[in-house]
Amino acid sequence: MSRPTSRVLALLELLQAGGTRRVADLADRLGVDERTVRRYAEHLSDLGIPVRSVRGRYGGYRLAPGYRMPPLMLTDDEAVSLAIGLVVGSRAGLVPESTASESALAKLRRVLPARLADRLGALLATSSFTAPPRAAAATDTGVLLTIAEAARNRLAVELDYTDRHGRRSTRTIAPYGVVGHSGRWYVATADRSFRLDRITAVSMLTATTGPAPDDDPAHAVLESLATAPWTHQVSVRVSGTVEDVERRLPLGLAVVTPLGNEPAEVRVELRAESLDWVPALLAGLDLPFVIEAPDELRQHVAALATRLATWADR
């Protein structure tokens, strides 16, 4: 009995989505009876594709775990989504290997039907972005995947780390999330965050780390960056809500805490190696503020105000 090729390929596409698919569901999606679905599955097996039969009430068919299939079965939407993801991830500096996205995109275009590959090429050739591309940090793919696996499985890791002063050390940490921020990958722990491009080696341990902290990993990384031990510790009271102030500040630059006053007031805390740029940041808030620390910041703010007044009178 003939097996229409398009329906056999459609079955493969359904199985590629992952998990076990019930025979009745597959028959309904393909518009055939259950007996025909079983013949299609046998045909795929004859072609060397490892289709596994799962017995039981909720049984059906699935592909063998770890089976790799080239992306021949992508719909137009899936192909475009994958291509855009590769381009955007590379431009954001979050692809660990600088050439990985280019080679993956080239492979994707080679295996797509000619018409779809041509339309995708047109999209890539005519697309532009408002944000400039970021250079990818030298993050090792193995390090990224190992730490992500440890975070998911709540396992400790041992790593070789080089800090911002060039000092090398071996540490044991309890990761609970990886975070992409400003072109770099970070790992969040309960105490601080670490840049993955500064990790030269990592090994997963058997020790479990207990439940993850309640804090979101992304928030924990941003707070860690804002409280990094730079020379000056700046504290300023600002009139406004947390939302008003945070949307006027770069992510990860400061910690904004509500003071519970009426009218609304918040405390903005940040660390800086130099105070030269802080007055312009405060002026950019366009909100009343009171400098709490350090005292020398007042002189920098006054000097900026004088310069602005002079330039405005020209």
Side-chain angles (χ1 to χ4, degrees), residues 96-97 139-149 196 201-204:
E97 298 294 335
T139 301
D140 184 272
T141 303
V143 169
L144 176 61
L145 295 179
T146 298
I147 290 180
E149 183 180 1
L196 266 66
V202 62
S203 57
M204 200 178 317

Side-chain angles (χ1 to χ4, degrees), residues 13-91:
E13 181 177 358
L14 292 171
L15 295 178
Q16 277 188 281
T20 299
R21 304 298 297 267
R22 298 177 61 225
V23 175
D25 294 337
L26 292 170
D28 183 63
R29 291 290 300 274
L30 297 173
V32 298
D33 56 34
E34 296 185 15
R35 186 175 181 181
T36 303
V37 170
R38 294 188 178 90
R39 288 202 305 270
Y40 290 170
E42 291 174 2
H43 185 52
L44 290 175
S45 296
D46 292 341
L47 294 173
I49 298 173
V51 178
R52 298 289 183 259
S53 175
V54 180
R55 297 180 179 275
R57 179 181 178 183
Y58 299 103
Y61 291 104
R62 62 176 175 82
L63 290 180
Y67 176 67
R68 294 189 176 186
M69 185 72 185
L72 294 171
M73 305 298 295
L74 295 174
T75 65
D76 288 14
D77 288 343
E78 291 168 342
V80 171
S81 297
L82 181 56
I84 291 176
L86 289 169
V87 172
V88 172
S90 179
R91 288 182 60 87

Side-chain angles (χ1 to χ4, degrees), residues 42 47 100 126 155 157 162 170 178 181 221 247 249 272 284 297 303-304:
E42 291 174 2
L47 294 173
T126 58
L155 295 174
V157 297
T162 303
T170 298
V178 290
H181 172 65
V221 166
R247 65 184 175 86
L249 290 172
L297 179 58
L304 175 62

Side-chain angles (χ1 to χ4, degrees), residues 24-252:
D25 294 337
L26 292 170
D28 183 63
R29 291 290 300 274
L30 297 173
V32 298
D33 56 34
E34 296 185 15
R35 186 175 181 181
T36 303
V37 170
R38 294 188 178 90
R39 288 202 305 270
Y40 290 170
E42 291 174 2
H43 185 52
L44 290 175
S45 296
D46 292 341
L47 294 173
I49 298 173
V51 178
R52 298 289 183 259
S53 175
V54 180
R55 297 180 179 275
R57 179 181 178 183
Y58 299 103
Y61 291 104
R62 62 176 175 82
L63 290 180
Y67 176 67
R68 294 189 176 186
M69 185 72 185
L72 294 171
M73 305 298 295
L74 295 174
T75 65
D76 288 14
D77 288 343
E78 291 168 342
V80 171
S81 297
L82 181 56
I84 291 176
L86 289 169
V87 172
V88 172
S90 179
R91 288 182 60 87
L94 296 178
V95 176
E97 298 294 335
S98 59
T99 60
S101 61
E102 296 178 7
S103 61
L105 191 57
K107 291 177 181 177
L108 172 64
R109 296 176 67 176
R110 280 201 301 270
V111 299
L112 290 175
R115 173 60 177 158
L116 180 54
D118 181 67
R119 299 184 72 190
L120 181 58
L123 171 65
L124 298 177
T126 58
S127 298
S128 58
F129 299 84
T130 55
R134 293 180 178 271
T139 301
D140 184 272
T141 303
V143 169
L144 176 61
L145 295 179
T146 298
I147 290 180
E149 183 180 1
R152 182 196 63 188
N153 297 335
R154 308 302 305 138
L155 295 174
V157 297
E158 183 179 85
L159 51 86
D160 294 337
Y161 191 75
T162 303
D163 67 15
R164 62 188 177 91
H165 300 293
R167 296 187 295 251
R168 299 181 179 179
S169 62
T170 298
R171 306 163 182 257
T172 299
I173 66 171
Y176 73 98
V178 290
V179 179
H181 172 65
S182 293
R184 294 190 176 98
W185 284 104
Y186 294 84
V187 53
T189 73
D191 303 318
R192 55 167 293 184
S193 62
F194 297 87
R195 274 174 48 177
L196 266 66
D197 59 303
R198 290 178 174 167
I199 299 174
T200 54
V202 62
S203 57
M204 200 178 317
L205 306 179
T206 57
T208 57
T209 60
D214 294 333
D215 199 10
D216 173 67
H219 179 269
V221 166
L222 292 176
E223 185 167 342
S224 176
L225 294 174
T227 56
W230 299 105
T231 302
H232 300 283
Q233 185 169 348
V234 176
S235 178
V236 179
R237 291 201 321 273
V238 181
S239 297
T241 65
V242 172
E243 293 75 17
D244 290 336
V245 175
E246 284 187 336
R247 65 184 175 86
R248 305 176 194 214
L249 290 172
L251 282 174

